[in-house]
Amino acid sequence: MDYEKDLNDLKENLEKAKNLKYRAEARMEQLKKQEDEIISELNKLGVKPEMLDQEIIKLKNEIESLLKEANELLPKDLLEKQG
């Protein structure tokens, strides 16, 4: 058995694991910062993070309603004559 090779392999793998840990920690810190920014922006908009799904549905419904209203206000008979 080659103990020196095994120790070198172990040392190399330990370094790789340390590097992966440091990158994961940096990424986690970056994502946490991003999360804080998003929550801050939501607070500025008056939306609680736990209510985000409901707010999206409400805004989607509002958009659909406004589009329907805009289409109903268009003078269809004049537009059809132009076509």
Side-chain angles (χ1 to χ4, degrees):
M1 184 170 247
D2 187 355
Y3 295 117
E4 189 174 340
K5 181 187 180 310
D6 288 346
L7 284 173
N8 284 334
D9 288 347
L10 187 58
K11 184 178 176 182
E12 185 179 314
N13 286 335
L14 184 59
E15 278 302 311
K16 286 180 185 177
K18 279 184 192 178
N19 287 335
L20 284 172
K21 179 185 173 218
Y22 293 141
R23 278 191 262 152
E25 286 173 343
R27 180 70 175 139
M28 190 166 73
E29 186 177 321
Q30 180 186 30
L31 290 172
K32 178 65 177 145
K33 190 180 214 180
Q34 214 173 17
E35 178 187 37
D36 291 343
E37 289 171 3
I38 290 169
I39 289 173
S40 174
E41 190 64 31
L42 286 172
N43 287 332
K44 287 179 189 174
L45 295 171
V47 178
K48 294 180 181 176
E50 61 272 8
M51 301 297 288
L52 196 54
D53 287 339
Q54 290 89 344
E55 186 68 18
I56 290 170
I57 291 169
K58 181 183 121 194
L59 291 171
K60 182 180 177 229
N61 289 338
E62 189 177 330
I63 289 169
E64 288 173 0
S65 174
L66 289 170
L67 284 173
K68 182 180 176 188
E69 183 180 340
N71 275 319
E72 289 172 356
L73 293 173
L74 286 174
K76 298 269 192 241
D77 54 334
L78 292 177
L79 292 173
E80 288 172 1
K81 290 179 184 175
Q82 295 292 322

